[in-house]
């Protein structure tokens, strides 16, 4: 991903936050020669809490995920495959009417992280079940209402033959945080105010990130 210098990640905490709050990633891997790449949307979590001082590009971080074994993408994966996970964060359209200056051009403020690394298939049912349970714990804590999964473990076990789990070891990341950094401070303030006045969550979330950069 091409990332101009002014839009680069402020620090690794921004990467970690985007991955945690927007965990539905797109997994990309190459197809066979002459074929298009495979792409699958799937949930991803951290394999363990990030280090107190993670590397700037999260290299060495372990992520976990799972998806349907019936998916041709799963069947095409080797036991160890170079892959990319794409995470998309808050984003919103910027109308030139917000700038109150001429000439002007519309644009789109957005945040995204491309995570490069090597995907390793998890082979055992025990480990696969643990990935599923860890995913439930992570998402219930972040987005749910504290659901107790203990009464559904047997149901999980029945589903396991259809579940393909993996471990993803990060080599590096590319983070894009395009939040009107190229604009004058007063113009950025107008964009923030316009976004905050909108009822949509993406606009407000984008505005909150812009305020943190001020």
């Amino acid at each position: 991903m091409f990332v101009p210098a002014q839009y680069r990640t402020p620090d690794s905490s921004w990467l970690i936050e985007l991955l945690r709050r927007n965990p539905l990633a797109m997994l990309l891997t190459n197809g066979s020669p002459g074929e298009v790449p495979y792409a699958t949307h799937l949930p991803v979590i951290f394999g363990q809490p990030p280090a107190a001082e993670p590397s700037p590009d999260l290299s060495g971080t372990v992520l976990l995920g799972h998806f349907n074994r019936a998916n041709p993408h799963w069947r095409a994966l080797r036991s160890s495959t170079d892959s990319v996970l794409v995470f998309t964060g808050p984003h919103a359209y910027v109308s030139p009417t917000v700038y109150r200056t001429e000439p002007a051009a519309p644009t789109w403020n957005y945040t995204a992280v491309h995570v490069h690394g090597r995907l390793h298939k998890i082979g055992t049912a025990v480990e696969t079940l643990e990935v599923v349970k860890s995913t439930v714990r992570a998402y219930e804590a972040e987005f749910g209402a504290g659901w107790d999964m203990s009464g559904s473990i047997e149901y999980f076990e029945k589903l396991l033959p259809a579940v393909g789990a993996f471990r993803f070891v990060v080599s590096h990341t590319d983070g894009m945080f395009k939040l009107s950094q190229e604009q004058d401070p007063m113009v950025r303030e107008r964009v923030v105010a316009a976004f905050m006045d909108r009822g949509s969550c993406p606009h407000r979330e984008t505005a909150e990130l812009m305020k943190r950069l001020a």
Side-chain angles (χ1 to χ4, degrees):
M1 177 168 61
F2 171 63
V3 183
Q6 60 194 345
Y7 301 141
R8 289 177 185 163
T9 310
D11 60 62
S12 60
S13 67
W14 286 62
L15 299 172
I16 293 168
E17 180 180 330
L18 190 146
L19 268 59
R20 277 184 167 156
R21 293 189 177 183
N22 307 274
L24 185 66
M26 179 183 289
L27 173 67
L28 299 169
T29 55
N30 289 329
S32 300
E35 295 182 351
V36 298
Y38 288 97
T40 298
H41 295 274
L42 44 78
V44 176
I45 62 171
F46 285 91
Q48 69 277 322
E53 295 185 9
S55 60
D57 63 357
L58 301 188
S59 58
T61 300
V62 176
L63 304 173
L64 300 173
H66 65 281
F67 61 118
N68 195 325
R69 285 178 176 268
N71 189 329
H73 193 170
W74 173 263
R75 295 199 298 268
L77 291 172
R78 300 183 300 277
S79 58
S80 179
T81 306
D82 290 328
S83 309
V84 178
L85 286 165
V86 176
F87 296 81
T88 303
H91 58 91
Y93 173 70
V94 184
S95 169
T97 58
V98 175
Y99 296 152
R100 303 179 196 168
T101 61
E102 293 289 347
T107 190
W108 205 287
N109 280 359
Y110 69 95
T111 56
V113 177
H114 290 194
V115 182
H116 299 254
R118 177 152 289 195
L119 182 152
H120 304 275
K121 284 185 170 182
I122 290 175
T124 71
V126 172
E127 290 179 291
T128 298
L129 178 59
E130 189 53 41
V131 170
V132 173
K133 290 163 63 178
S134 295
T135 302
V136 172
R137 284 192 291 266
Y139 292 168
E140 279 297 315
E142 185 75 22
F143 311 110
W147 176 63
D148 182 358
M149 75 178 97
S150 58
S152 298
I153 299 302
E154 289 187 6
Y155 177 63
F156 288 1
E157 292 172 342
K158 291 179 182 179
L159 298 176
L160 283 184
V163 178
F166 62 84
R167 181 178 297 103
F168 189 101
V169 181
V170 178
S171 61
H172 68 281
T173 59
D174 296 316
M176 170 74 90
F177 290 82
K178 182 181 178 296
L179 299 168
S180 298
Q181 292 96 321
E182 77 283 1
Q183 298 292 343
D184 291 336
M186 289 188 64
V187 173
R188 293 188 74 251
E189 289 177 7
R190 291 174 191 145
V191 176
V192 169
F195 284 177
M196 292 299 291
D197 285 342
R198 297 288 295 272
S200 72
C201 287
H203 282 84
R204 289 177 173 270
E205 291 173 355
T206 305
E208 291 296 339
L209 288 179
M210 293 178 68
K211 288 193 289 186
R212 284 169 55 184
L213 281 178

